[in-house]
Amino acid sequence: MSDSDLATAEADEAVAAVARQLSGVRRLGVAFSGGVDSSVLLALAARALGPGRVVALLGVSPSLAADERTAAHAVADQIGVPLIEVATHEGDRPEYRANGPDRCFHCKDELFTRIDASVVAEHGLDAIAYGENADDVRRDDRPGSRAATAHGVLTPLATAGLTKADVRRIARSFALSSADKPAAPCLASRIPHFSAVLPRKLSQIEQAEAALRRLGFADLRVRHHGDVARVELPPDDLPRAAAEPLRSRIHEAVTAAGFRYVTLDLAGIQSGAFTQAAIGEAAE
């Protein structure tokens, strides 16, 4: 069997697995970010139920970068499923602004509360799902999953045992534009825990990261440490980032976003570093 045949068979099995989990669901809402996990869930659901019975639900707030918002619309269009924007107001929640390790819980709780309050009835939805995968379940730094459980949100990818690698392969077999998209957590994840999440900080991060993408860096984080921006890049990108002419261009781009100092983190990108560190400290 060829690689393409194997990929097709895997995708067909995933569609069947999702269809079994959605048995009895007439209309499904998928909490959608445009990332690879929610994109694959949306595509699988559309194939299992039919695109006319699925809607993508995109939470929109200052923590969502404009580039991510645009990309999410493009992926939903590619899949052929309508996208509904849901305005969320997590910034009005003191617990979210306080930015403890449970910040993601309050963010996801806000999203699912907004969906429950109006979107479900307006669009005739009888179930909501989101793109947690089997690898996510094993992590201890994802408090947003507790909010999903509290709201009865379905997790078809994780329930089917699909790992991140499985999701990437299915995305490629479907030729989704998000198949190789780097992880892009919300802008608030760039702010250290217990440092307040404020619109000004989110705007600085978004402006700096957008400028760095224009310089050719696809995978990156700009961590907000007050006057200091700590830039994280994949290790392979560090040499060119530290050399001219990019060194000066990076400094200019990031300081233009309102930072006074710019540092390049030699450890590279560290997913979940703030939350993992906070969890470790709490356990000691």
Side-chain angles (χ1 to χ4, degrees):
M1 184 178 290
S2 68
D3 289 345
S4 61
D5 289 339
L6 285 171
T8 299
E10 182 180 29
D12 288 344
E13 290 174 7
V15 171
V18 169
R20 288 192 295 271
Q21 294 171 54
L22 299 180
S23 177
V25 174
R26 297 183 306 277
R27 284 182 58 77
L28 177 73
V30 173
F32 184 67
S33 67
V36 66
D37 293 315
S38 63
S39 296
V40 165
L41 175 57
L42 189 69
L44 291 173
R47 285 163 171 75
L49 299 178
R53 294 169 56 192
V54 181
V55 295
L57 305 172
L58 177 66
V60 176
S61 76
S63 68
L64 177 68
D67 289 347
E68 295 297 318
R69 184 177 184 177
T70 299
H73 277 270
V75 176
D77 285 345
Q78 181 187 8
I79 295 170
V81 169
L83 184 149
I84 298 163
E85 293 193 344
V86 181
T88 62
H89 304 278
E90 60 271 19
D92 293 343
R93 295 189 174 205
E95 303 89 349
Y96 173 86
R97 293 196 305 273
N99 197 20
D102 63 347
R103 182 199 66 244
C104 288
F105 169 84
H106 300 290
C107 182
K108 284 291 191 294
D109 186 61
E110 168 71 10
L111 172 63
F112 295 135
T113 297
R114 295 284 173 180
I115 290 172
D116 289 343
S118 60
V119 179
V120 167
E122 182 180 350
H123 295 279
L125 307 178
D126 50 4
I128 304 298
Y130 92 122
E132 182 177 62
N133 64 54
D135 290 332
D136 295 334
V137 174
R138 293 189 284 269
R139 292 179 57 171
D140 58 2
D141 63 337
R142 298 180 66 86
S145 64
R146 290 194 292 110
T149 300
H151 286 268
V153 176
L154 304 178
T155 57
L157 300 181
T159 304
L162 295 174
T163 66
K164 189 72 168 189
D166 297 329
V167 168
R168 292 279 187 196
R169 286 195 301 272
I170 294 168
R172 294 184 189 110
S173 73
F174 289 163
L176 295 179
S177 59
S178 58
D180 296 306
K181 184 178 185 293
C186 80
L187 296 174
S189 68
R190 303 347 182 227
I191 302 172
H193 287 307
F194 307 111
S195 176
V197 177
L198 301 173
R200 174 183 57 79
K201 294 180 182 178
L202 298 174
S203 178
Q204 286 179 293
I205 295 164
E206 179 177 7
Q207 183 180 337
E209 291 192 350
L212 293 185
R213 280 191 291 273
R214 289 193 295 270
L215 290 176
F217 297 101
D219 196 5
L220 67 130
R221 306 282 188 276
V222 174
R223 306 293 187 184
H224 196 296
H225 297 274
D227 285 344
V228 179
R230 177 166 59 86
V231 178
E232 295 179 0
L233 299 169
D236 288 348
D237 281 339
L238 294 177
R240 69 188 185 99
E244 295 295 356
L246 280 178
R247 184 193 66 81
S248 295
R249 293 176 181 171
I250 289 170
H251 183 268
E252 180 182 0
V254 177
T255 55
F259 294 98
R260 186 173 181 182
Y261 306 105
V262 185
T263 67
L264 189 62
D265 195 320
L266 299 183
I269 285 187
Q270 303 145 63
S271 178
F274 288 146
T275 301
Q276 290 283 13
I279 291 172
E281 290 170 2
E284 291 178 355

